[in-house]
Amino acid sequence: MDSKKIGTFIAVNRKKKGLTQEQLGEKLGVSNKTISRWENGNYMPDLSLLEPLSKELEISLNELLAGEKIEKEKVVEYSEQNLISAIDYSDRKIKYEHKKIAAFMIGIGIVICICSFTVFPSESSWGSIYSIVGLILIVAGAYKALNPLSLLKKNLISLCLFLTILSNFLIADYVGVTQFKQTPIYRYKTTTVFKENKLIEYSNLFYNVYRINADTPNEYYLIDRKKQYDINTVPTSPFNQDISAIEHLLQYQSKYVGDNSNTGHLISSLPFSEYGYVFEIDSENCGVIINYHFTDWYNNEHLYTEKGLMYNAVSMFALIDNLEYITFNFSGSSFSITRDNILKNYPNYNEILNGGKIDIENFHQYVDQKINDHSFVLNIIKLFETN
């Protein structure tokens, strides 16, 4: 069907009837803008309006579809052509409507998926639910858009699309966990326990995430890709391992304590620095005096101060070759320790410094894994002189 020709024919016959576009629209239950679009050839009348329109214009349906007056001897010929054109138009109209619905479903699905990753906090399980809802809408829209294809092809393409998008979602979630320290959106279980600090386990099909010291300044994440731990066996530290772990401290290894900048960076990466401090270097005796801005009993639940003193002392002596003593001053008291005392009395200290270099595995074994052994920590604290 030629929409331009039909539109011109509608306009001619409307004017013959002495009707305005608004008047014709009122009779058909449409707006004058709709009539204008018909007459301009921009749109075709809906199939349901063809018969009422032809009656109002006092022309045959055959003539309306042909867009011209038809002589009696050509009625049959035009009827066949118009029937074929009408069927073709209906088919195209249906396909167009299917595409619009499919595009709408895909668009809504994409918006829901974006919102599931950006609007909902990562601690909420609603993000994963809405992302799956959005994914289903996207795939359903794509399935509808694939109508011309066979059922087998539609199913295969839709399944591949579903798995591809879901895989990308899982990868994006993993990147968020590993790079931005977010809790996993896709998880089937969340377990919370209170040991020395709040510990949360997020169980994912492919890995587990442990949020250690949750909601404290020393919060950090441990990603268990091998699933070798559970909520009761995962190794924990009272300190923020994203900052204070020996792997991060190695960059501050130095031969001389007099390197003020390096020593300052090292102290700022160790426990207690979160409360603020100032330090001074005793160059003559190769010592460091650190004055912390809090009292030693202020945040000493589960021996936090004793653990921090032990960790800081061992780390600093291992990392700075000529450091001979450290004094830790708090508002309430003071603790001093010498390298000689650590060398003689800290168990397996020589194995931590294997051949003059820090052995990371031994550090974990003889320092990190001893942090939560209260009897061990209390014995090490006896090495410190207190005031």
Side-chain angles (χ1 to χ4, degrees):
M1 289 187 288
D2 187 337
S3 60
K4 293 287 185 183
K5 186 177 180 182
I6 292 172
T8 302
F9 191 60
I10 291 172
V12 169
N13 285 279
R14 172 182 61 78
K15 293 172 183 176
K16 281 183 180 180
K17 292 287 292 177
L19 297 172
T20 65
Q21 290 180 341
E22 187 174 357
Q23 289 171 334
L24 180 59
E26 287 177 358
K27 291 177 179 291
L28 298 173
V30 298
S31 68
N32 61 319
K33 289 183 179 179
T34 299
I35 303 295
S36 177
R37 291 191 187 103
W38 294 349
E39 294 182 353
N40 290 330
N42 296 327
Y43 290 92
M44 282 287 292
D46 288 338
L47 294 176
S48 61
L49 293 175
L50 291 177
E51 186 179 1
L53 177 59
S54 64
K55 287 182 178 179
E56 290 296 335
L57 298 178
E58 295 183 355
I59 57 177
S60 69
L61 184 58
N62 212 12
E63 290 174 326
L64 177 59
L65 293 174
E68 60 181 305
K69 284 288 184 180
I70 300 174
E71 299 176 4
K72 288 183 179 180
E73 59 271 15
K74 293 185 178 181
V75 169
V76 175
E77 178 187 342
Y78 272 89
S79 295
E80 290 179 357
Q81 291 176 358
N82 289 334
L83 180 59
I84 293 171
S85 297
I87 292 171
D88 180 61
Y89 173 75
S90 299
D91 186 52
R92 284 189 284 110
K93 185 82 171 176
I94 291 169
K95 287 180 180 178
Y96 175 71
E97 293 300 325
H98 274 296
K99 287 182 179 179
K100 282 205 305 185
I101 294 170
F104 178 77
M105 293 173 67
I106 292 171
I108 292 296
I110 291 172
V111 170
I112 291 175
C113 288
I114 292 172
C115 290
S116 70
F117 280 91
T118 58
V119 174
F120 294 98
S122 57
E123 292 82 4
S124 171
S125 60
W126 284 105
S128 60
I129 294 170
Y130 274 92
S131 69
I132 296 300
V133 171
L135 175 55
I136 291 171
L137 279 173
I138 292 172
V139 174
Y143 186 88
K144 197 169 188 65
L146 294 170
N147 269 336
L149 300 179
S150 67
L151 185 62
L152 178 60
K153 287 184 178 179
K154 284 170 62 177
N155 288 335
L156 286 174
I157 293 173
S158 298
L159 178 61
C160 289
L161 180 63
F162 180 87
L163 293 176
T164 299
I165 297 176
L166 181 60
S167 297
N168 285 319
F169 283 175
L170 293 173
I171 291 170
D173 191 30
Y174 182 73
V175 170
V177 171
T178 55
Q179 301 300 317
F180 302 103
K181 306 302 178 185
Q182 297 175 347
T183 56
I185 294 173
Y186 297 100
R187 56 185 186 268
Y188 61 85
K189 186 175 69 171
T190 301
T191 307
T192 303
V193 298
F194 291 87
K195 294 182 177 180
E196 295 191 354
N197 266 320
K198 186 178 176 183
L199 172 63
I200 307 175
E201 177 189 42
Y202 302 99
S203 300
N204 182 282
L205 287 174
F206 308 104
Y207 55 88
N208 290 335
V209 177
Y210 295 92
R211 188 176 166 204
I212 302 167
N213 306 324
D215 302 321
T216 73
N218 289 323
E219 176 180 288
Y220 68 96
Y221 286 75
L222 188 151
I223 303 169
D224 182 14
R225 297 173 181 85
K226 297 180 180 179
K227 290 199 169 187
Q228 57 186 323
Y229 305 119
D230 59 34
I231 194 75
N232 297 308
T233 62
V234 61
T236 62
S237 169
F239 316 125
N240 185 343
Q241 293 297 285
D242 291 333
I243 299 173
S244 300
I246 188 62
E247 291 85 350
H248 301 296
L249 299 179
L250 285 176
Q251 62 183 308
Y252 305 120
Q253 195 163 12
S254 174
K255 292 184 177 181
Y256 307 105
V257 69
D259 185 344
N260 287 28
S261 176
N262 183 76
T263 301
H265 287 308
L266 172 58
I267 295 171
S268 69
S269 299
L270 290 168
F272 303 146
S273 63
E274 65 267 26
Y275 298 105
Y277 67 91
V278 293
F279 76 97
E280 56 182 294
I281 294 176
D282 178 1
S283 300
E284 184 176 346
N285 298 302
C286 295
V288 174
I289 301 98
I290 310 171
N291 302 300
Y292 291 105
H293 300 161
F294 76 106
T295 58
D296 56 318
W297 48 263
Y298 175 72
N299 187 19
N300 199 32
E301 189 176 8
H302 306 297
L303 302 179
Y304 182 78
T305 299
E306 287 83 354
K307 293 175 182 180
L309 287 169
M310 174 185 127
Y311 192 88
N312 288 4
V314 174
S315 299
M316 292 183 71
F317 284 128
L319 289 163
I320 303 177
D321 291 351
N322 75 333
L323 178 62
E324 293 299 325
Y325 80 88
I326 312 169
T327 298
F328 302 93
N329 292 324
F330 302 96
S331 299
S333 52
S334 178
F335 299 83
S336 295
I337 186 76
T338 65
R339 174 183 290 275
D340 188 57
N341 218 350
I342 288 289
L343 283 170
K344 291 178 180 178
N345 298 293
Y346 190 94
N348 305 107
Y349 180 79
N350 288 329
E351 294 184 44
I352 294 173
L353 281 175
N354 190 356
K357 295 183 179 180
I358 294 177
D359 188 309
I360 293 177
E361 288 188 10
N362 286 345
F363 189 96
H364 289 317
Q365 182 178 353
Y366 299 122
V367 182
D368 290 327
Q369 293 177 20
K370 296 292 186 179
I371 284 292
N372 293 317
D373 183 342
H374 286 196
S375 61
F376 180 89
V377 173
L378 290 173
N379 282 330
I380 298 301
I381 285 300
K382 294 176 184 177
L383 305 178
F384 288 76
E385 293 183 8
T386 60
N387 293 315

